[in-house]
Amino acid sequence: MKTYLEFFEELDDNELTHRLVNKNRKPKGPPPIPKLLPPSEKAFLRAQDDSRANFNFTYQAARFEAGWLLNSLGGFYEHQWISDVLRCVKGGKEASVYLCRAGAEVEADLIAAKVYRPRSLRNLKNDHAYREGRDNLDDEGKIVLDDGKLHAMAQRTAYGKNLLHQSWIAYEFTSMQALHAAGADVPRPYEMAHNAILMDFVGDETGCAPTLSEISLEHGEAQNLFGRVLQNIDLLLANERIHGDLSAYNILYWEGEITLIDFPQVVSPKTNRNAFSIFVRDVTRVCEYFAKQGIGSHPRQIAADLWTKHGHRLAPEIHPRLLDAEDERDRALWQKQKNMR
Ligand SMILES: Nc1ncnc2c1ncn2[C@@H]1O[C@H](COP(=O)(O)OP(=O)(O)OP(=O)(O)O)[C@@H](O)[C@H]1O
Ligand SMILES: [Mg+2]
């Protein structure tokens, strides 16, 4: 596990100060700067205007984490989306999630800030499977069309990698916007910055809601929630999205309700050639969890039915990897699809 100092050292100045320094206004005087901050962060802190320099949070962050939070969340504070950072609720593989007190601009009392790790720490090994057939988005969620930027991304220059990192975050935010508007059980997204997303907090002041993977369900409730998750998968597909990393680890449970989270790797069922395999894997993982809760099902059949319901063609060439030759229903499914060709 790297320290925040190491995080900072891997960032270039451009990334660190990106869109955050107000160049037109002279700072009234530098705020006190901790001795050990790396030079780029010192420069960044000196250039803060007063409102951000006054952003002190309840959460007792380690020094470098504090700098990291100030950089990632300072804009939200300035625009009164948040007024305080109360605690770190989870340090995930790709991001840390902080419980924040909402600012005057938000009706809710609590709000979640998902702050991404620097792109250099992301596990990008299997990125291409998700990015296949997917446009890259900029920091406003718009498709990147600029030749220079497209070239930088294709060449994987440092700048290009930053753009790809941004695109990943923009996909999470814009997907949540679309899915929330469509009525899916996802946190309401509020705002996106270059490195963070603000959304509804699921839980209370004492901490975040558990994930399904952390709890066991009574049989009746398991049955209901299984139906609810499938409805969400169906709704996602109707909105031309596949979650891409769906499992009991990315579904929160709170007061009898579920909330799907963690959307950066969404894929389109129309443009991604891996879409059906990714979809089957999502459905299978969900079914596996509910099977442990006593609800049996046939995931490949469910996936195939939902897929065809939304007018997508099944891709028979990927069957040998997906279907179980020993399973009678799989063999029937395989036969049905061969007849469809
Ligand atoms: N809106 C939210 N409200 C409450 N808790 C949340 C919220 N979003 C995320 N969390 C908590 O933070 C954890 C990490 O979030 P998320 O899964 O989005 O990030 P991640 O870095 O991709 O995590 P992982 O790699 O562990 O899947 C979640 O498992 C959950 O416990
Ligand atoms: Mg997750």
Side-chain angles (χ1 to χ4, degrees), residues 276-296:
F276 186 57
S277 340
I278 294 172
F279 184 65
V280 173
R281 194 187 56 196
D282 275 5
V283 174
T284 303
R285 285 185 182 158
V286 165
C287 291
E288 281 168 0
Y289 169 77
F290 282 99
K292 284 192 213 134
Q293 310 300 315
I295 312 295

Side-chain angles (χ1 to χ4, degrees), residues 17 107 125 129 157 161 175 198 221 228 247 260 287 314:
T17 54
E107 271 183 27
K125 252 192 308 188
T157 62
K161 285 181 183 168
S175 302
L198 284 186
E221 190 172 31
R228 190 79 199 167
S247 74
L260 277 55
C287 291
L314 290 161

Side-chain angles (χ1 to χ4, degrees), residues 143-216:
I143 295 175
V144 178
L145 298 169
D146 178 285
D147 281 345
K149 289 181 177 172
L150 291 172
H151 183 72
M153 287 188 278
Q155 295 301 310
R156 294 285 193 280
T157 62
Y159 174 57
K161 285 181 183 168
N162 285 346
L163 294 172
L164 289 167
H165 176 74
Q166 183 67 68
S167 176
W168 203 256
I169 296 168
Y171 262 98
E172 172 145 44
F173 185 70
T174 54
S175 302
M176 286 172 72
Q177 277 184 317
L179 295 171
H180 186 263
D185 295 316
V186 303
R188 176 184 174 159
Y190 291 101
E191 193 57 286
M192 164 174 75
H194 71 293
N195 196 43
I197 288 177
L198 284 186
M199 64 182 102
D200 268 340
F201 182 77
V202 188
D204 62 20
E205 296 230 7
T206 63
C208 63
T211 59
L212 280 184
S213 61
E214 292 168 325
I215 57 167
S216 297

Side-chain angles (χ1 to χ4, degrees), residues 50-277:
D50 271 358
S51 57
R52 192 171 308 186
N54 289 336
F55 182 21
N56 296 314
F57 20 88
T58 303
Y59 171 55
Q60 295 289 307
R63 182 183 298 158
F64 298 108
E65 187 185 10
W68 177 243
L69 285 177
L70 190 62
N71 180 13
S72 304
L73 304 180
F76 295 147
Y77 176 76
E78 277 180 348
H79 292 101
Q80 301 194 20
W81 288 96
I82 59 171
S83 61
D84 194 3
V85 181
L86 300 175
R87 64 165 76 191
C88 177
V89 288
K90 250 340 146 41
K93 286 197 300 290
E94 310 288 4
S96 291
V97 174
Y98 295 86
L99 168 60
C100 302
R101 178 81 59 207
E105 287 295 317
V106 186
E107 271 183 27
D109 179 29
L110 300 173
I111 201 163
K114 180 169 177 177
V115 184
Y116 288 80
R117 288 168 172 235
R119 51 117 182 124
S120 49
L121 294 182
R122 287 185 52 91
N123 176 9
L124 294 175
K125 252 192 308 188
N126 298 319
D127 247 16
H128 64 275
Y130 301 98
R131 292 186 41 249
E132 213 260 350
R134 183 166 114 155
D135 288 313
N136 288 301
L137 303 181
D138 65 16
D139 56 2
E140 288 174 1
K142 300 205 176 94
I143 295 175
V144 178
L145 298 169
D146 178 285
D147 281 345
K149 289 181 177 172
L150 291 172
H151 183 72
M153 287 188 278
Q155 295 301 310
R156 294 285 193 280
T157 62
Y159 174 57
K161 285 181 183 168
N162 285 346
L163 294 172
L164 289 167
H165 176 74
Q166 183 67 68
S167 176
W168 203 256
I169 296 168
Y171 262 98
E172 172 145 44
F173 185 70
T174 54
S175 302
M176 286 172 72
Q177 277 184 317
L179 295 171
H180 186 263
D185 295 316
V186 303
R188 176 184 174 159
Y190 291 101
E191 193 57 286
M192 164 174 75
H194 71 293
N195 196 43
I197 288 177
L198 284 186
M199 64 182 102
D200 268 340
F201 182 77
V202 188
D204 62 20
E205 296 230 7
T206 63
C208 63
T211 59
L212 280 184
S213 61
E214 292 168 325
I215 57 167
S216 297
L217 300 168
E218 298 285 334
H219 189 270
E221 190 172 31
Q223 187 83 58
N224 288 340
L225 293 185
F226 184 42
R228 190 79 199 167
V229 176
L230 292 181
Q231 272 174 25
N232 274 275
I233 293 175
D234 191 11
L235 190 56
L236 260 70
L237 211 48
N239 284 273
E240 295 188 5
R241 283 171 177 88
I242 296 163
H243 184 287
D245 189 22
L246 194 61
S247 74
Y249 292 92
N250 279 329
I251 302 175
L252 302 178
Y253 173 86
W254 189 248
E255 294 174 344
E257 310 278 345
I258 49 144
T259 307
L260 277 55
I261 57 164
D262 206 1
F263 286 89
Q265 64 291 306
V266 285
V267 296
S268 159
K270 284 206 164 143
T271 58
N272 187 313
R273 278 174 296 170
N274 311 307
F276 186 57
S277 340

